[in-house]
């Protein structure tokens, strides 16, 4: 016997609501008097705003300059955690095979341009000292004198790049710089990551502290023999980043907090004379938005800040299948700078 239903079955559909947020662009306006006399970036571009308006619709067009966060990554902590947990995965953008090039530093150290290399001196990464970075950029320029060099920095690497560009001023061999989630104020970053929270306690500190300890173990003999005088037993037993920094990077400072203040890039933004784009998010749990030097971006025609409401730290994932939002805007910016520069050369 066939029973006929009086009413059709109700099919419940689950809709995921996605909200799109506009890009807030902070930069010098051509209608304002420039504090830098006689400045000219490339060709007819008298400010970075000219390059952005001509070549970067994903940062300037009201309809296109928007970011829709991945629906299930709807907080800064979730975006940041997803980035950390997926950092080792490869996709069509990141699956690149590099040739290893080694650079000998003036202090006897060695830097590899593709991945980690064993230490040859007791000097560790220093968020303040741009000397090694300067050496390697100059070495690349000497090896490829006709090639335009663009610097892209992430997190603390963005802080170092910003310091470098500010220190170099108009002498920088880079034709452009891009800073992704730059902390600007390293002291504010350290305060933020040492607040009690699930993300800090269970993700951020364990991940980075373990990475630093693994690095120290791989280079144990070099560090132990260094004249710097590292306490290797104490280093191998640290529980958080401030303990590690106090025993390593901050050994010549009163404490690690003094080192963080001295390592900040916030004061360097005003001295940059290279087209420079920073991308930051308001809900970044580490590179806190209140430390961004908005005034410097408004006063320096060489700089621009793209500020997004959501995206966390180094996340900025968009779409149901998460993809990194900033890849295409950064590509537009680099293309715009190179096009403007080529126009000047021709």
């Amino acid at each position: 016997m066939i029973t006929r239903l009086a009413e059709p079955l109700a099919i419940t559909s689950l809709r995921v609501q996605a909200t799109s947020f506009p890009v807030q662009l902070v930069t010098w306006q051509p209608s304002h008097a420039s504090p830098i006399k006689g400045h000219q970036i490339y060709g007819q571009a008298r400010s970075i705003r000219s390059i952005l308006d001509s070549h970067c619709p994903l940062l300037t067009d009201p309809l296109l300059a928007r970011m829709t966060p991945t629906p299930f990554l709807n907080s800064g902590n979730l975006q940041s955690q997803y980035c950390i947990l997926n950092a080792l995965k490869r996709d069509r953008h990141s699956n690149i095979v590099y040739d290893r090039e080694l650079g000998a530093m003036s202090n006897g150290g060695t830097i590899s341009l593709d991945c980690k290399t064993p230490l040859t001196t007791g000097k560790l990464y220093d968020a303040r000292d741009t000397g090694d970075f300067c050496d390697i950029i100059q070495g690349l320029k000497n090896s490829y004198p006709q090639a335009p060099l663009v610097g892209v920095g992430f997190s603390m690497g963005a802080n170092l790049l910003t310091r470098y560009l500010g220190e170099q001023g108009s002498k920088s061999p880079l034709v452009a710089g891009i800073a992704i989630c730059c902390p600007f104020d390293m002291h504010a970053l350290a305060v933020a990551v040492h607040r009690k929270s699930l993300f800090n306690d269970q993700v951020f500190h364990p991940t980075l502290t373990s990475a630093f300890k693994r690095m120290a173990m791989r280079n144990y003999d070099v560090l132990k023999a260094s004249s710097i005088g590292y306490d290797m037993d104490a280093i191998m037993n640290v529980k958080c980043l401030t303990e590690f920094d106090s025993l390593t990077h901050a050994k010549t400072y009163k404490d690690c907090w003094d080192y963080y203040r001295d390592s900040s890039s916030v004061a360097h933004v005003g001295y940059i004379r290279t087209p420079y784009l920073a991308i930051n998010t308001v809900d970044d749990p580490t590179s806190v938005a209140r430390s961004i030097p908005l005034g410097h971006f408004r006063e320096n025609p060489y700089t621009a800040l793209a500020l997004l409401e959501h995206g966390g730290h180094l996340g900025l994932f968009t779409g149901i299948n998460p993809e990194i939002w900033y890849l295409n805007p950064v590509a537009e910016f680099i293309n715009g700078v190179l096009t403007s520069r080529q126009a000047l050369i021709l």
Side-chain angles (χ1 to χ4, degrees), residues 116-244:
K116 296 175 182 177
T117 296
L119 294 176
T120 53
T121 72
K123 183 182 178 182
L124 298 172
Y125 164 82
D126 188 336
R128 179 187 178 279
D129 184 9
T130 62
D132 288 349
F133 186 71
C134 185
D135 284 349
I136 208 66
I137 292 298
Q138 193 57 54
L140 285 171
K141 192 62 181 175
N142 294 339
S143 299
Y144 309 98
Q146 302 303 317
L149 300 180
V150 175
V152 183
F154 299 84
S155 189
M156 289 187 286
N159 183 76
L160 190 70
L161 174 64
T162 304
R163 288 181 62 90
Y164 168 80
L165 291 174
E167 291 171 358
Q168 294 291 309
S170 59
K171 298 178 181 178
S172 171
L174 298 180
V175 300
I178 298 100
I180 309 296
C181 295
C182 179
F184 293 107
D185 186 337
M186 295 290 287
H187 184 271
L189 179 148
V191 171
V193 301
H194 281 81
R195 290 195 182 100
K196 284 290 182 181
S197 73
L198 183 64
F199 175 75
N200 287 342
D201 297 341
Q202 301 299 321
V203 179
F204 189 85
H205 277 289
T207 301
L208 290 189
T209 304
S210 296
F212 281 132
K213 288 167 71 173
R214 288 195 300 271
M215 178 277 299
M217 178 57 71
R218 287 197 305 269
N219 299 279
Y220 189 97
D221 292 339
V222 173
L223 295 175
K224 183 74 173 178
S226 170
S227 59
I228 296 175
Y230 294 116
D231 185 341
M232 295 305 296
D233 291 335
I235 289 174
M236 298 312 301
N237 287 285
V238 297
K239 303 299 182 184
C240 63
L241 291 178
T242 50
E243 292 180 8
F244 183 87

Side-chain angles (χ1 to χ4, degrees), residues 98-124:
Y98 294 94
D99 292 328
R100 170 175 289 192
E101 293 188 38
L102 301 180
M105 301 295 99
S106 56
N107 61 6
T110 303
I111 287 183
S112 64
L113 300 184
D114 67 321
C115 59
K116 296 175 182 177
T117 296
L119 294 176
T120 53
T121 72
K123 183 182 178 182
L124 298 172

Side-chain angles (χ1 to χ4, degrees), residues 86-106:
N86 288 272
L88 297 180
K89 290 185 177 180
R90 293 293 180 182
D91 59 21
R92 61 189 177 88
H93 298 294
S94 62
N95 192 23
I96 303 171
V97 178
Y98 294 94
D99 292 328
R100 170 175 289 192
E101 293 188 38
L102 301 180
M105 301 295 99
S106 56

Side-chain angles (χ1 to χ4, degrees), residues 19-35:
T19 304
S20 176
F21 297 92
V23 175
Q24 303 175 54
L25 197 61
V26 182
T27 186
W28 177 77
Q29 297 297 326
S31 58
H32 297 170
S34 172

Side-chain angles (χ1 to χ4, degrees), residues 66-82:
R66 308 186 69 85
M67 189 271 201
T68 304
T70 296
F72 57 86
L73 301 176
N74 57 1
S75 74
N77 285 341
L78 288 175
Q79 287 264 346
S80 307
Q81 186 170 352
Y82 189 85

